[in-house]
């Protein structure tokens, strides 16, 4: 998941400026995100100390993403098609081309994708971190129950006009980069920059929050049980600095995965692999609340089996083509 964000940002900046190396851009992005993650989320050691600045930043990037998508969709309808009448005419004239571009999924595959994405709304590390760890008031969850689906619904409504506009203009970029391709093809710098800012905000938010969540879990459940403090040592400073090192190490490891997977991977394939991996946590999350006979051995056995199947069937084919 983190490698996906690095890949998306480096490719996007490379599209804006062909002279810049994707690897150099990826390294600079990782360094910048490391600094922001440490500044926003590693000032305190205890998760009881909430990071209000982080919550505001993630909320702001969510608003930026949605606003950018709405503006892009309106721009595509009004400028590329000349209004809704022009869009309807183009759709009616290109029924065969659009039908050929559709990828029909069987009932089983469709249900599997739906379960995968619904699972991600609670099992993804960054979503869980914002919902639970950074939550000051459980009443906020009541608003999230309708607010998050509404947000995703509005976001989804913006995608078809952007896809149709890029198809009409013959955009040569991969489908995932159509928003920025529209700005480049129409030579509209404002639209290109808006699409870039939206993508950068999305990738930065996921990277920062996921890294903070993973660093906390690694420190609390792997390193802390092994740590034996010496007399006279400031344990708080040691653990806080260790968490900061973990943040940088996790982002560095993500860069390593980005290089291992190669530049020819699509964001969609990387995203599905990451989402399916996170699905392994769903039985534990649900069972921990609703199945009182569940135990640690069963949970660990299920996780181990699930991740072995995931590694062999999804991750290895990506690495070894």
């Amino acid at each position: 998941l983190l490698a996906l964000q690095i890949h998306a940002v480096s490719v996007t900046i490379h599209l804006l400026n062909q002279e810049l190396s994707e690897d150099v851009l990826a390294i600079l992005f990782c360094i910048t995100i490391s600094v922001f993650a440490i500044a926003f989320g590693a000032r305190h050691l205890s998760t009881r100390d909430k990071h209000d600045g982080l919550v505001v930043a993630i909320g702001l990037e969510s608003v930026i993403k949605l606003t950018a998508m709405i503006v892009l969709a309106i721009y595509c309808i009004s400028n590329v098609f000349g209004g809704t009448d022009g869009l309807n005419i183009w759709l009616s004239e290109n029924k065969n081309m659009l039908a050929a571009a559709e990828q029909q999924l069987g009932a089983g595959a469709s249900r599997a994708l739906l379960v995968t994405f619904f699972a991600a709304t609670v099992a993804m590390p960054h979503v869980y971190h914002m919902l639970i760890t950074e939550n000051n008031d459980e009443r906020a969850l009541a608003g999230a129950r309708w607010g998050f689906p509404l947000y995703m619904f509005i976001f989804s409504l913006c995608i078809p006009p952007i896809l149709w506009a890029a198809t009409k203009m013959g955009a040569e970029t991969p489908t995932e980069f159509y928003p920025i391709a529209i700005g480049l093809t129409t030579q509209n710098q404002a639209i290109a920059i808006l699409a870039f800012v939206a993508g950068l905000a999305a990738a930065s938010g996921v990277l920062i929050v996921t890294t903070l969540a993973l660093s906390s879990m690694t420190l609390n459940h792997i390193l802390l049980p092994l740590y034996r403090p010496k007399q006279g040592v400031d344990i708080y400073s040691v653990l806080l600095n260790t968490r900061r090192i973990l943040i940088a190490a996790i982002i560095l490891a993500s860069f390593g995965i980005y290089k291992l997977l190669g530049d020819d991977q699509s964001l969609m394939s990387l995203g599905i692999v990451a989402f399916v991996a996170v699905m392994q946590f769903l039985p534990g999350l649900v069972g921990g609340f609703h199945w009182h006979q569940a135990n640690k051995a069963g949970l660990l056995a299920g996780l181990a089996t699930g991740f072995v199947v995931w590694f062999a069937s999804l991750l290895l084919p990506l690495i070894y083509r």
Side-chain angles (χ1 to χ4, degrees):
L1 179 67
L2 299 182
L4 184 156
Q5 314 306 322
I6 297 171
H7 179 58
V9 171
S10 61
V11 172
T12 303
I13 301 177
H14 183 70
L15 288 173
L16 291 174
N17 190 335
Q18 302 286 330
E19 297 178 0
L20 297 174
S21 166
E22 287 188 28
D23 288 345
V24 173
L25 292 170
I27 292 172
L28 292 175
F29 179 61
C30 289
I31 293 173
T32 305
I33 289 298
S34 299
V35 173
F36 271 92
I38 292 172
F40 271 113
R43 290 177 298 169
H44 312 291
L45 185 61
S46 174
T47 54
R48 288 176 296 179
D49 297 316
K50 306 300 181 182
H51 302 93
D52 294 336
L54 176 66
V55 175
V56 171
I58 298 304
L60 180 61
E61 67 95 359
S62 299
V63 173
I64 290 173
K65 281 190 299 186
L66 186 61
T67 303
M69 290 296 287
I70 293 172
V71 172
L72 277 165
I74 294 173
Y75 175 81
C76 290
I77 294 172
S78 60
N79 289 59
V80 178
F81 294 104
T84 54
D85 292 338
L87 172 60
N88 290 329
I89 292 171
W90 184 85
L91 289 174
S92 62
E93 292 176 349
N94 293 272
K95 288 181 179 178
N96 293 333
M97 182 185 69
L98 293 173
E102 289 182 5
Q103 184 177 356
Q104 297 294 334
L105 292 176
S110 300
R111 282 194 289 265
L113 281 176
L114 283 172
V115 172
T116 301
F117 295 128
F118 278 123
T121 61
V122 292
M124 278 289 183
H126 60 289
V127 180
Y128 187 86
H129 185 84
M130 297 306 297
L131 278 175
I132 307 300
T133 308
E134 297 292 346
N135 192 350
N136 280 322
D137 189 351
E138 64 181 27
R139 290 176 295 181
L141 295 176
R145 289 188 186 123
W146 61 264
F148 182 71
L150 177 62
Y151 179 92
M152 296 303 297
F153 176 69
I154 297 173
F155 204 97
S156 300
L157 287 178
C158 300
I159 293 175
I162 296 172
L163 173 65
W164 295 330
T167 303
K168 179 185 179 182
M169 294 186 298
E172 297 180 355
T173 64
T175 310
E176 299 94 323
F177 300 101
Y178 273 178
I180 199 165
I182 289 171
L184 295 175
T185 305
T186 59
Q187 296 183 343
N188 189 319
Q189 293 184 351
I191 291 296
I193 292 173
L194 182 66
F196 166 70
V197 169
L200 182 65
S204 301
V206 173
L207 260 172
I208 290 174
V209 180
T210 304
T211 303
L212 292 176
L214 292 176
S215 64
S216 293
M217 287 188 282
T218 305
L219 180 65
N220 293 340
H221 302 293
I222 298 177
L223 298 182
L224 197 56
L226 301 175
Y227 177 61
R228 296 294 179 266
K230 297 179 180 179
Q231 191 172 5
V233 175
D234 186 353
I235 300 175
Y236 183 87
S237 297
V238 171
L239 295 179
L240 186 60
N241 290 328
T242 301
R243 189 182 182 205
R244 290 168 177 166
I245 294 172
L246 282 172
I247 289 172
I250 290 169
I251 294 177
L252 179 63
S254 303
F255 176 78
I257 295 293
Y258 155 76
K259 290 299 297 176
L260 180 66
L261 294 176
D263 299 332
D264 57 338
Q265 300 294 344
S266 71
L267 296 186
M268 185 179 70
S269 62
L270 292 176
I272 289 178
V273 171
F275 276 50
V276 173
V278 169
M279 278 191 72
Q280 313 310 317
F281 298 114
L282 191 62
L285 281 173
V286 175
F289 288 107
H290 300 291
W291 187 23
H292 299 295
Q293 289 75 31
N295 55 60
K296 177 181 176 181
L299 175 62
L300 293 179
L303 282 176
T305 305
F307 273 109
V308 167
V309 174
W310 168 81
F311 184 82
S313 60
L314 288 178
L315 188 59
L316 275 182
L318 278 185
I319 298 174
Y320 293 105
R321 308 296 186 268

